[in-house]
Amino acid sequence: MELNNLKLIFKKYWPLFLLILFFFTILWQFKILDIPVIQEREIPCIKYTEEGNLYGGQPRCVQGPVTYYTFFIFEKIFGNLSNIFLIFLISIFHVITFILILKILKKAVKHFSLVLVFILYFFLMVILIENNLASFFAMFYLVVGFYILIYSNLKYKEGISGLFFWSSLFSSANTAIFIFIIIAYYFIHLFIHKSNEGKLVFDKNRI
């Protein structure tokens, strides 16, 4: 009964909840944990990006180009305020990720639970990224790409999700195995289905 009440409360006040999550993300990441938006070792990489010499033998620039170009663009547009705007972007990405995980689990899990949403969100966006901004961007793009490819009805969802998977991979190569599994899962379900006799059948008409 208490769980049902919790669901009703969340359903009624979910915009307020997401707003709280938005500001809590800022407080948690950059105040309580005292995590800098851009690590000091990555600052020279922004300069290399501007010079067009990002991977010209510099051993410290080990993240994907999407991350460094994001830093570079924000610095060019917002100047000294770039860190503040990056914090807001990160917080918005956290909220979007939470919403997508919520939508995915509602469709994928028979017995939906808000507890499961929080567990998966915490695992993907806190534990796996290990306070690494490149990993955070990579995981965000991965979740968006997964949702679009598997659960959306967009006309060109393969191409759109591909752009997000590309962004994920070129933010951090650590997501490569996840991308491979997602794409393999998609094509298996696209071409293979169960017949009336319960056997797996390859659908040539979809080629």
mmCIF file of all heavy atoms in Angstrom, residues 6-24 91 95-96 98-99 102 106 114:
data_model
loop_
_atom_site.group_PDB
_atom_site.id
_atom_site.type_symbol
_atom_site.label_atom_id
_atom_site.label_comp_id
_atom_site.label_asym_id
_atom_site.label_seq_id
_atom_site.Cartn_x
_atom_site.Cartn_y
_atom_site.Cartn_z
ATOM 1 N N LEU A 6 3.435 5.878 -2.901
ATOM 2 C CA LEU A 6 4.656 6.506 -3.408
ATOM 3 C C LEU A 6 4.550 6.730 -4.909
ATOM 4 O O LEU A 6 4.964 7.777 -5.424
ATOM 5 C CB LEU A 6 5.863 5.617 -3.081
ATOM 6 C CG LEU A 6 7.244 6.153 -3.486
ATOM 7 C CD1 LEU A 6 7.555 7.452 -2.763
ATOM 8 C CD2 LEU A 6 8.323 5.109 -3.200
ATOM 9 N N LYS A 7 3.994 5.759 -5.625
ATOM 10 C CA LYS A 7 3.820 5.892 -7.060
ATOM 11 C C LYS A 7 2.869 7.032 -7.398
ATOM 12 O O LYS A 7 3.102 7.800 -8.336
ATOM 13 C CB LYS A 7 3.287 4.580 -7.644
ATOM 14 C CG LYS A 7 4.302 3.448 -7.662
ATOM 15 C CD LYS A 7 3.689 2.211 -8.279
ATOM 16 C CE LYS A 7 4.684 1.053 -8.319
ATOM 17 N NZ LYS A 7 4.096 -0.173 -8.905
ATOM 18 N N LEU A 8 1.777 7.140 -6.628
ATOM 19 C CA LEU A 8 0.807 8.213 -6.862
ATOM 20 C C LEU A 8 1.421 9.579 -6.614
ATOM 21 O O LEU A 8 1.183 10.532 -7.363
ATOM 22 C CB LEU A 8 -0.423 8.005 -5.969
ATOM 23 C CG LEU A 8 -1.312 6.809 -6.311
ATOM 24 C CD1 LEU A 8 -2.402 6.633 -5.263
ATOM 25 C CD2 LEU A 8 -1.938 7.001 -7.700
ATOM 26 N N ILE A 9 2.217 9.675 -5.557
ATOM 27 C CA ILE A 9 2.884 10.942 -5.235
ATOM 28 C C ILE A 9 3.857 11.329 -6.346
ATOM 29 O O ILE A 9 3.908 12.479 -6.780
ATOM 30 C CB ILE A 9 3.619 10.837 -3.874
ATOM 31 C CG1 ILE A 9 2.597 10.698 -2.744
ATOM 32 C CG2 ILE A 9 4.517 12.055 -3.644
ATOM 33 C CD1 ILE A 9 3.228 10.406 -1.389
ATOM 34 N N PHE A 10 4.632 10.340 -6.800
ATOM 35 C CA PHE A 10 5.610 10.614 -7.862
ATOM 36 C C PHE A 10 4.898 11.035 -9.151
ATOM 37 O O PHE A 10 5.333 11.956 -9.842
ATOM 38 C CB PHE A 10 6.468 9.376 -8.113
ATOM 39 C CG PHE A 10 7.491 9.575 -9.202
ATOM 40 C CD1 PHE A 10 8.689 10.212 -8.932
ATOM 41 C CD2 PHE A 10 7.244 9.122 -10.488
ATOM 42 C CE1 PHE A 10 9.627 10.405 -9.935
ATOM 43 C CE2 PHE A 10 8.176 9.310 -11.493
ATOM 44 C CZ PHE A 10 9.371 9.953 -11.206
ATOM 45 N N LYS A 11 3.796 10.340 -9.480
ATOM 46 C CA LYS A 11 3.058 10.641 -10.701
ATOM 47 C C LYS A 11 2.479 12.055 -10.665
ATOM 48 O O LYS A 11 2.435 12.741 -11.698
ATOM 49 C CB LYS A 11 1.930 9.615 -10.875
ATOM 50 C CG LYS A 11 1.185 9.734 -12.203
ATOM 51 C CD LYS A 11 0.176 8.626 -12.355
ATOM 52 C CE LYS A 11 -0.547 8.739 -13.694
ATOM 53 N NZ LYS A 11 -1.544 7.658 -13.876
ATOM 54 N N LYS A 12 2.072 12.491 -9.494
ATOM 55 C CA LYS A 12 1.434 13.801 -9.354
ATOM 56 C C LYS A 12 2.461 14.926 -9.311
ATOM 57 O O LYS A 12 2.241 16.011 -9.859
ATOM 58 C CB LYS A 12 0.582 13.816 -8.082
ATOM 59 C CG LYS A 12 -0.231 15.098 -7.907
ATOM 60 C CD LYS A 12 -1.128 15.001 -6.694
ATOM 61 C CE LYS A 12 -1.967 16.257 -6.527
ATOM 62 N NZ LYS A 12 -2.861 16.175 -5.340
ATOM 63 N N TYR A 13 3.605 14.663 -8.675
ATOM 64 C CA TYR A 13 4.579 15.734 -8.445
ATOM 65 C C TYR A 13 5.909 15.498 -9.160
ATOM 66 O O TYR A 13 6.933 16.020 -8.752
ATOM 67 C CB TYR A 13 4.841 15.884 -6.940
ATOM 68 C CG TYR A 13 3.628 16.284 -6.145
ATOM 69 C CD1 TYR A 13 2.961 15.345 -5.357
ATOM 70 C CD2 TYR A 13 3.135 17.586 -6.177
ATOM 71 C CE1 TYR A 13 1.835 15.698 -4.618
ATOM 72 C CE2 TYR A 13 2.015 17.945 -5.446
ATOM 73 C CZ TYR A 13 1.376 17.001 -4.667
ATOM 74 O OH TYR A 13 0.269 17.352 -3.940
ATOM 75 N N TRP A 14 5.902 14.702 -10.249
ATOM 76 C CA TRP A 14 7.176 14.366 -10.893
ATOM 77 C C TRP A 14 7.935 15.591 -11.427
ATOM 78 O O TRP A 14 9.166 15.596 -11.404
ATOM 79 C CB TRP A 14 6.958 13.324 -11.999
ATOM 80 C CG TRP A 14 6.191 13.786 -13.194
ATOM 81 C CD1 TRP A 14 4.869 13.658 -13.414
ATOM 82 C CD2 TRP A 14 6.726 14.434 -14.355
ATOM 83 N NE1 TRP A 14 4.508 14.191 -14.616
ATOM 84 C CE2 TRP A 14 5.636 14.669 -15.224
ATOM 85 C CE3 TRP A 14 8.008 14.837 -14.745
ATOM 86 C CZ2 TRP A 14 5.788 15.304 -16.450
ATOM 87 C CZ3 TRP A 14 8.169 15.462 -15.974
ATOM 88 C CH2 TRP A 14 7.067 15.694 -16.811
ATOM 89 N N PRO A 15 7.276 16.680 -11.922
ATOM 90 C CA PRO A 15 8.073 17.847 -12.345
ATOM 91 C C PRO A 15 8.863 18.462 -11.186
ATOM 92 O O PRO A 15 10.022 18.858 -11.355
ATOM 93 C CB PRO A 15 7.018 18.819 -12.877
ATOM 94 C CG PRO A 15 5.843 17.971 -13.223
ATOM 95 C CD PRO A 15 5.850 16.888 -12.189
ATOM 96 N N LEU A 16 8.237 18.507 -10.012
ATOM 97 C CA LEU A 16 8.926 19.033 -8.842
ATOM 98 C C LEU A 16 10.072 18.126 -8.443
ATOM 99 O O LEU A 16 11.165 18.603 -8.078
ATOM 100 C CB LEU A 16 7.928 19.167 -7.674
ATOM 101 C CG LEU A 16 8.514 19.655 -6.336
ATOM 102 C CD1 LEU A 16 9.110 21.056 -6.495
ATOM 103 C CD2 LEU A 16 7.439 19.651 -5.261
ATOM 104 N N PHE A 17 9.849 16.817 -8.544
ATOM 105 C CA PHE A 17 10.901 15.867 -8.207
ATOM 106 C C PHE A 17 12.105 16.035 -9.126
ATOM 107 O O PHE A 17 13.255 16.020 -8.673
ATOM 108 C CB PHE A 17 10.361 14.437 -8.317
ATOM 109 C CG PHE A 17 11.412 13.385 -8.152
ATOM 110 C CD1 PHE A 17 11.856 13.015 -6.901
ATOM 111 C CD2 PHE A 17 11.972 12.774 -9.268
ATOM 112 C CE1 PHE A 17 12.841 12.050 -6.746
ATOM 113 C CE2 PHE A 17 12.948 11.804 -9.126
ATOM 114 C CZ PHE A 17 13.388 11.454 -7.859
ATOM 115 N N LEU A 18 11.860 16.197 -10.412
ATOM 116 C CA LEU A 18 12.960 16.369 -11.365
ATOM 117 C C LEU A 18 13.689 17.687 -11.133
ATOM 118 O O LEU A 18 14.905 17.772 -11.317
ATOM 119 C CB LEU A 18 12.431 16.301 -12.799
ATOM 120 C CG LEU A 18 11.909 14.944 -13.240
ATOM 121 C CD1 LEU A 18 11.408 15.016 -14.678
ATOM 122 C CD2 LEU A 18 12.985 13.878 -13.111
ATOM 123 N N LEU A 19 12.962 18.710 -10.718
ATOM 124 C CA LEU A 19 13.599 19.988 -10.397
ATOM 125 C C LEU A 19 14.525 19.832 -9.197
ATOM 126 O O LEU A 19 15.646 20.365 -9.185
ATOM 127 C CB LEU A 19 12.522 21.045 -10.108
ATOM 128 C CG LEU A 19 13.025 22.473 -9.883
ATOM 129 C CD1 LEU A 19 13.694 23.007 -11.138
ATOM 130 C CD2 LEU A 19 11.870 23.382 -9.471
ATOM 131 N N ILE A 20 14.067 19.090 -8.192
ATOM 132 C CA ILE A 20 14.908 18.816 -7.017
ATOM 133 C C ILE A 20 16.139 18.016 -7.431
ATOM 134 O O ILE A 20 17.258 18.304 -6.985
ATOM 135 C CB ILE A 20 14.098 18.053 -5.947
ATOM 136 C CG1 ILE A 20 12.985 18.953 -5.396
ATOM 137 C CG2 ILE A 20 15.013 17.583 -4.820
ATOM 138 C CD1 ILE A 20 12.022 18.233 -4.470
ATOM 139 N N LEU A 21 15.936 17.024 -8.294
ATOM 140 C CA LEU A 21 17.056 16.215 -8.795
ATOM 141 C C LEU A 21 18.052 17.089 -9.536
ATOM 142 O O LEU A 21 19.268 16.923 -9.394
ATOM 143 C CB LEU A 21 16.530 15.120 -9.723
ATOM 144 C CG LEU A 21 17.588 14.232 -10.403
ATOM 145 C CD1 LEU A 21 18.356 13.431 -9.363
ATOM 146 C CD2 LEU A 21 16.927 13.304 -11.414
ATOM 147 N N PHE A 22 17.556 18.050 -10.296
ATOM 148 C CA PHE A 22 18.391 18.960 -11.073
ATOM 149 C C PHE A 22 19.340 19.738 -10.164
ATOM 150 O O PHE A 22 20.549 19.781 -10.384
ATOM 151 C CB PHE A 22 17.481 19.923 -11.839
ATOM 152 C CG PHE A 22 18.200 20.968 -12.633
ATOM 153 C CD1 PHE A 22 18.636 20.696 -13.906
ATOM 154 C CD2 PHE A 22 18.417 22.221 -12.110
ATOM 155 C CE1 PHE A 22 19.295 21.660 -14.652
ATOM 156 C CE2 PHE A 22 19.073 23.194 -12.837
ATOM 157 C CZ PHE A 22 19.513 22.919 -14.120
ATOM 158 N N PHE A 23 18.793 20.336 -9.113
ATOM 159 C CA PHE A 23 19.627 21.141 -8.218
ATOM 160 C C PHE A 23 20.464 20.271 -7.283
ATOM 161 O O PHE A 23 21.579 20.642 -6.905
ATOM 162 C CB PHE A 23 18.749 22.110 -7.416
ATOM 163 C CG PHE A 23 18.218 23.242 -8.223
ATOM 164 C CD1 PHE A 23 16.890 23.272 -8.598
ATOM 165 C CD2 PHE A 23 19.047 24.264 -8.645
ATOM 166 C CE1 PHE A 23 16.396 24.311 -9.366
ATOM 167 C CE2 PHE A 23 18.557 25.314 -9.412
ATOM 168 C CZ PHE A 23 17.226 25.337 -9.772
ATOM 169 N N PHE A 24 19.949 19.105 -6.918
ATOM 170 C CA PHE A 24 20.729 18.212 -6.067
ATOM 171 C C PHE A 24 21.968 17.719 -6.799
ATOM 172 O O PHE A 24 23.030 17.539 -6.197
ATOM 173 C CB PHE A 24 19.874 17.020 -5.637
ATOM 174 C CG PHE A 24 20.625 16.023 -4.784
ATOM 175 C CD1 PHE A 24 20.887 16.299 -3.457
ATOM 176 C CD2 PHE A 24 21.068 14.830 -5.327
ATOM 177 C CE1 PHE A 24 21.582 15.396 -2.672
ATOM 178 C CE2 PHE A 24 21.765 13.917 -4.551
ATOM 179 C CZ PHE A 24 22.019 14.207 -3.216
ATOM 180 N N SER A 91 23.577 18.863 -15.365
ATOM 181 C CA SER A 91 22.379 18.634 -14.553
ATOM 182 C C SER A 91 21.176 18.298 -15.433
ATOM 183 O O SER A 91 20.379 17.412 -15.110
ATOM 184 C CB SER A 91 22.088 19.864 -13.692
ATOM 185 O OG SER A 91 23.172 20.152 -12.846
ATOM 186 N N VAL A 95 18.845 14.796 -15.575
ATOM 187 C CA VAL A 95 17.383 14.730 -15.537
ATOM 188 C C VAL A 95 16.845 13.965 -16.749
ATOM 189 O O VAL A 95 15.967 13.104 -16.621
ATOM 190 C CB VAL A 95 16.774 16.149 -15.489
ATOM 191 C CG1 VAL A 95 15.258 16.085 -15.631
ATOM 192 C CG2 VAL A 95 17.148 16.841 -14.179
ATOM 193 N N ILE A 96 17.379 14.262 -17.936
ATOM 194 C CA ILE A 96 16.951 13.563 -19.149
ATOM 195 C C ILE A 96 17.227 12.068 -19.030
ATOM 196 O O ILE A 96 16.385 11.232 -19.388
ATOM 197 C CB ILE A 96 17.664 14.141 -20.385
ATOM 198 C CG1 ILE A 96 17.196 15.575 -20.644
ATOM 199 C CG2 ILE A 96 17.401 13.268 -21.620
ATOM 200 C CD1 ILE A 96 17.959 16.276 -21.747
ATOM 201 N N PHE A 98 17.465 10.260 -16.307
ATOM 202 C CA PHE A 98 16.525 9.676 -15.345
ATOM 203 C C PHE A 98 15.168 9.429 -16.005
ATOM 204 O O PHE A 98 14.560 8.365 -15.832
ATOM 205 C CB PHE A 98 16.365 10.592 -14.137
ATOM 206 C CG PHE A 98 15.485 10.023 -13.067
ATOM 207 C CD1 PHE A 98 16.023 9.217 -12.081
ATOM 208 C CD2 PHE A 98 14.125 10.280 -13.044
ATOM 209 C CE1 PHE A 98 15.222 8.671 -11.088
ATOM 210 C CE2 PHE A 98 13.310 9.742 -12.064
ATOM 211 C CZ PHE A 98 13.862 8.938 -11.083
ATOM 212 N N ILE A 99 14.693 10.402 -16.789
ATOM 213 C CA ILE A 99 13.397 10.259 -17.464
ATOM 214 C C ILE A 99 13.429 9.091 -18.449
ATOM 215 O O ILE A 99 12.487 8.284 -18.519
ATOM 216 C CB ILE A 99 13.026 11.562 -18.196
ATOM 217 C CG1 ILE A 99 12.761 12.688 -17.180
ATOM 218 C CG2 ILE A 99 11.797 11.365 -19.077
ATOM 219 C CD1 ILE A 99 12.560 14.046 -17.812
ATOM 220 N N LEU A 102 13.408 5.782 -16.701
ATOM 221 C CA LEU A 102 12.040 5.570 -16.227
ATOM 222 C C LEU A 102 11.162 5.027 -17.357
ATOM 223 O O LEU A 102 10.428 4.041 -17.187
ATOM 224 C CB LEU A 102 11.472 6.887 -15.697
ATOM 225 C CG LEU A 102 10.053 6.870 -15.126
ATOM 226 C CD1 LEU A 102 10.009 6.075 -13.825
ATOM 227 C CD2 LEU A 102 9.552 8.282 -14.892
ATOM 228 N N LYS A 106 9.627 1.137 -17.696
ATOM 229 C CA LYS A 106 8.177 0.986 -17.772
ATOM 230 C C LYS A 106 7.773 0.077 -18.926
ATOM 231 O O LYS A 106 6.798 -0.670 -18.843
ATOM 232 C CB LYS A 106 7.507 2.363 -17.925
ATOM 233 C CG LYS A 106 7.243 3.073 -16.611
ATOM 234 C CD LYS A 106 6.396 4.303 -16.838
ATOM 235 C CE LYS A 106 5.983 4.925 -15.514
ATOM 236 N NZ LYS A 106 5.115 6.122 -15.712
ATOM 237 N N LEU A 114 9.804 1.860 -8.922
ATOM 238 C CA LEU A 114 10.607 3.078 -8.848
ATOM 239 C C LEU A 114 11.972 2.804 -8.222
ATOM 240 O O LEU A 114 12.963 3.462 -8.552
ATOM 241 C CB LEU A 114 9.876 4.151 -8.033
ATOM 242 C CG LEU A 114 8.735 4.882 -8.735
ATOM 243 C CD1 LEU A 114 8.030 5.805 -7.766
ATOM 244 C CD2 LEU A 114 9.263 5.673 -9.926
#
